[in-house]
Amino acid sequence: MENIVLFGGGLHAHVCVDIIEKQAKYKIIGIIDSLIEIGSIKYGYPVIGRQEELIELKRKYDFSLGFVAIGDNFDRYYVRNQVLELIPDFKFINAIHPSAVIGRNVKLGVGIAIAAGVIINPNSAIKDFCILNTGALLEHDCYMGEFSHLSVGSVTGGKTSIGKFSAVTVGVTIIDRITIGENTVVGSGSVVIKDLPGNVVAFGCPAKVIRKREPGEKFLKTD
């Protein structure tokens, strides 16, 4: 089992820990987090340091792989960039729950979290650092751009495209052949029956644009 570290020790990290443990391919050495007290224990693993200490930590703990366990799309992007600035050839794993079903000819990038009960049907493409949360269904011939998010229980029809940094939140239904632009959030429980532009928040049945959305704007609740 290869040694890995997790970047981020928030709520999403707990899910990622569970997935990685069930994969039984990697040994989690510890968590690197910018805020949590060093030496404290999160989800059974020690917080070993900060991102800016990565080179020293890599040497001390003997790891060459990692996973960005952060739910917010832009925060995942910022941390990935910090890591690669320090170690340009650093490698990121995929965290794939054993119960996930992945169809033929599915193309996966790196740094992807695929939670319990996810179904990804044939010919779909999922780019780097996406999240597919519990019970999500991505139909055939779909596309998820980098750092996008398909949340718990959400369903897409075939040939759906979800743009970079966009988030389809809890319990959304998207009919087939829909395009969602970059950096757009679809509110929980919505039904999407027509294309949505980039940089907006949309909500409702059917989903309608509610307002504009700025790059980097948070979409997850915080403690």
Side-chain angles (χ1 to χ4, degrees), residues 120-198:
I120 304 167
N121 274 329
N123 295 324
S124 290
I126 301 169
K127 305 298 281 186
D128 296 347
F129 298 93
C130 291
I131 295 173
L132 292 91
N133 238 322
T134 310
L137 168 59
L138 190 72
E139 256 300 345
H140 64 87
D141 299 283
C142 288
Y143 173 85
M144 290 182 66
E146 289 180 310
F147 301 96
S148 62
H149 189 140
L150 186 64
S151 197
V152 176
S154 287
V155 175
T156 78
K159 294 192 174 182
T160 291
S161 177
I162 300 171
K164 184 177 181 180
F165 294 117
S166 287
V168 177
T169 60
V170 175
V172 171
T173 299
I174 303 173
I175 68 167
D176 60 293
R177 302 170 192 268
I178 292 293
T179 296
I180 294 172
E182 294 187 2
N183 187 41
T184 282
V185 170
V186 183
S188 297
S190 297
V191 178
V192 183
I193 63 172
K194 64 179 182 179
D195 293 350
L196 294 173

Side-chain angles (χ1 to χ4, degrees), residues 40 42 44 57 67 77 84-85 100 137 154 175:
S40 62
K42 293 291 291 185
L57 292 170
F67 186 81
Y77 170 73
L84 293 182
E85 284 174 6
L137 168 59
S154 287
I175 68 167

Side-chain angles (χ1 to χ4, degrees), residues 8 14 49 54 67 78 158 181 212:
H14 200 179
L54 181 59
F67 186 81
Y78 297 141
K212 292 185 177 181

